[in-house]
Amino acid sequence: MGKIITFIHAADLHLDSPMIGLKHLPEKLLARMRESTFQALRKITALAIQNRVDFVIFAGDLYDGEDRSLRAQSIFRTEMLKLAAEGIPAFVVHGNHDHLNGSWVNLELPENVHIFPTEVETKVFKTGNDATVHLYGFSYPTRHVIERKIDGYTRMEGADFHIGILHGHDEGSSEHGKYAPFSVKELLEKQFDYWALGHIHKRAVLTEDPPIIYPGNIQGRNRKETGEKGVYLVQLSTDGATCHFHKTSVAVWEEAMLDAQGARSFHDILTLCRTVIETYREHHFGTILTIILKNMRLDDDRDAASVYTELLDILQEDENDGENFVWTVDVRVEEALIGNREQLRGKADFYKELFLTIDQYDHVEDTLAPLYHHQLARKHLASLPESEQRLLLEKAESLLLTLFAHQK
């Protein structure tokens, strides 16, 4: 019988992520979301021990920032001690978020944690079943590593299995920062048995033979990171590989696209939203939900305006902080329901001027100044990042277009 190894491939833990965009959650739910990355890590540890794996790979961005909070380090250390007690080592590379040039108070990790240096290194590991594994990897010396580090990965003979660990950017993808770029062709040329990738937060199997895999991050942190998140449990043998995805996310971010064509009133829209909310409640332990309404043409202008001004508040007031919560974080109306920009520009010069004004509008902070200067409001408001400012403008545009469309 040939030799077999089993391991967990995790990446992009982003421990202690602040969960931007959730400040309006009820206190209990917000606390739960801010603990979610730590809970996901504990699930990884439990999975490793339960399956008696030979080792665990963490392919970069363990921490959310270069400062590495002491709490995040302490919780990671606690979980690594659990693995050490079971004789399970962890192989770690640091990525662009938790690079080695940051400033932090260091908390020493147990001896079972092997951290790769800033240049590609080969670590030799022998399992309890006498299989020899060569693991190849490097940690980011600074945040911006743009050179082709893949050139430093060289297969060294003398092992039963060869595993590359790389926190970097697949040139066939454009979703994330283009750090440590590589092509799938380059990875295949290395003739490794498995490539444990990190950096892209969306799960992706680039090839199956050999497996070249992005597991995605272990817990969604914003509306762009939708769906179940987790890790891969991998078994390599002389016959090939089996790779099984395991969920670790405490709560999922989801987008629900609802066809509101049959709705004629605000009540119809509210009922439609409540129905989809209950559907998510049945299928997930916890959900942060964005609802997108398309084809909405209500009979009354006041009903249409209420969708923008009151619907979200009502849906949030309906929700409790139970274990299988569904918190609606946003309700949007798809612009296509009233005609796209190009079509509207052709109808009247007014629309041309409107879109030009919106595109060039850069006074969001000035417009919100009365709120930030208000004695009570300013205590609860943080400055809006550029992405949130853009979202406000998009919602304002959609509201204006909807109201214009309903003018008799």
Side-chain angles (χ1 to χ4, degrees):
M1 181 178 179
K3 294 179 179 178
I4 298 174
I5 62 170
T6 305
F7 61 92
I8 286 175
H9 170 201
D12 299 282
L13 282 62
H14 289 273
L15 298 176
D16 213 10
S17 173
M19 297 292 168
I20 294 172
L22 291 180
K23 55 182 176 292
H24 299 303
L25 256 68
E27 185 176 346
K28 186 175 179 180
L29 293 185
L30 182 58
R32 178 174 168 182
M33 289 303 297
R34 286 179 172 166
E35 287 291 306
S36 62
T37 54
F38 299 127
Q39 287 294 96
L41 172 61
R42 294 181 182 110
K43 289 185 178 184
I44 295 171
T45 307
L47 181 67
I49 294 171
Q50 177 185 348
N51 287 275
R52 304 181 64 82
V53 300
D54 293 302
F55 53 88
V56 178
I57 292 173
F58 293 105
D61 285 355
L62 278 68
Y63 305 106
D64 194 57
E66 61 183 28
D67 56 348
R68 302 189 197 179
S69 72
L70 272 173
R71 182 164 187 259
Q73 291 185 72
S74 178
I75 291 176
F76 183 73
R77 182 177 186 276
T78 296
E79 296 307 302
M80 295 306 97
L81 285 170
K82 292 179 184 177
L83 294 182
E86 300 294 328
I88 301 173
F91 295 95
V92 174
V93 304
H94 289 290
N96 54 298
H97 276 265
D98 60 353
H99 59 84
L100 299 180
N101 196 39
S103 176
W104 65 88
V105 177
N106 187 53
L107 201 58
E108 190 173 336
L109 292 169
E111 291 184 357
N112 67 315
V113 179
H114 305 279
I115 298 177
F116 285 83
T118 58
E119 295 298 328
V120 179
E121 182 183 67
T122 305
K123 289 190 179 292
V124 181
F125 174 67
K126 183 162 288 190
T127 72
N129 293 325
D130 209 31
T132 301
V133 186
H134 284 176
L135 298 104
Y136 309 77
F138 78 97
S139 291
Y140 279 48
T142 60
R143 181 175 180 85
H144 301 288
V145 175
I146 59 176
E147 62 265 31
R148 305 188 71 81
K149 300 293 286 190
I150 184 60
D151 295 337
Y153 287 75
T154 303
R155 177 184 168 116
M156 294 178 59
E157 297 304 322
D160 299 297
F161 302 99
H162 300 265
I163 299 174
I165 308 171
L166 176 56
H167 190 88
H169 170 77
D170 167 27
E171 291 175 321
S173 168
S174 60
E175 293 182 10
H176 281 60
K178 297 182 179 181
Y179 299 131
F182 64 87
S183 69
V184 172
K185 180 176 180 291
E186 287 174 311
L187 301 191
L188 294 174
E189 288 173 350
K190 301 296 179 179
Q191 297 186 327
F192 287 2
D193 299 292
Y194 187 91
W195 278 97
L197 303 180
H199 184 51
I200 303 299
H201 291 186
K202 185 176 182 180
R203 181 165 29 121
V205 179
L206 304 187
T207 67
E208 294 183 351
D209 185 20
I212 301 176
I213 295 178
Y214 281 113
N217 52 342
I218 64 172
Q219 168 62 53
R221 303 170 304 137
N222 56 59
R223 70 185 73 210
K224 293 181 180 180
E225 299 177 352
T226 57
E228 294 285 4
K229 302 294 184 177
V231 300
Y232 275 89
L233 178 63
V234 182
Q235 184 180 85
L236 293 182
S237 72
T238 53
D239 297 325
T242 57
C243 308
H244 296 290
F245 178 76
H246 287 260
K247 297 182 292 186
T248 59
S249 45
V250 173
V252 297
W253 293 72
E254 295 286 3
E255 279 193 359
M257 181 74 75
L258 304 185
D259 190 342
Q261 188 171 14
R264 290 292 174 265
S265 67
F266 176 85
H267 183 266
D268 291 344
I269 295 293
L270 180 60
T271 300
L272 187 64
C273 292
R274 284 174 170 167
T275 299
V276 77
I277 284 171
E278 292 310 310
T279 299
Y280 278 100
R281 197 185 310 281
E282 293 175 4
H283 291 90
H284 295 297
F285 194 59
T287 307
I288 306 294
L289 183 65
T290 295
I291 294 176
I292 303 173
L293 298 167
K294 65 176 183 177
N295 302 323
M296 189 184 78
R297 296 299 295 264
L298 304 186
D299 295 332
D300 192 294
D301 293 349
R302 292 169 298 180
D303 283 25
S306 295
V307 169
Y308 290 90
T309 59
E310 299 183 68
L311 178 58
L312 181 61
D313 288 340
I314 291 174
L315 294 176
Q316 291 179 344
E317 287 170 2
D318 281 351
E319 193 54 45
N320 58 46
D321 56 7
E323 291 297 323
N324 60 337
F325 70 90
V326 181
W327 183 261
T328 306
V329 72
D330 192 19
V331 175
R332 302 205 301 266
V333 178
E334 193 180 57
E335 183 181 316
L337 59 95
I338 37 185
N340 62 42
R341 277 185 165 202
E342 292 306 315
Q343 292 173 331
L344 292 173
R345 282 192 181 99
K347 289 184 177 181
D349 289 338
F350 166 77
Y351 286 109
K352 294 180 183 178
E353 295 179 12
L354 173 64
F355 297 140
L356 182 63
T357 300
I358 291 172
D359 290 340
Q360 296 181 347
Y361 192 79
D362 58 359
H363 304 294
V364 174
E365 291 185 349
D366 293 340
T367 305
L368 297 177
L371 281 176
Y372 287 103
H373 293 152
H374 189 278
Q375 185 175 0
L376 294 178
R378 67 187 180 189
K379 296 179 181 179
H380 306 284
L381 294 175
S383 61
L384 286 179
E386 187 176 338
S387 59
E388 294 291 333
Q389 292 184 26
R390 173 49 52 185
L391 185 60
L392 275 178
L393 289 173
E394 290 175 358
K395 293 179 74 171
E397 177 181 324
S398 188
L399 174 58
L400 284 170
L401 294 177
T402 299
L403 293 176
F404 291 150
H406 283 84
Q407 291 299 311
K408 303 292 191 271

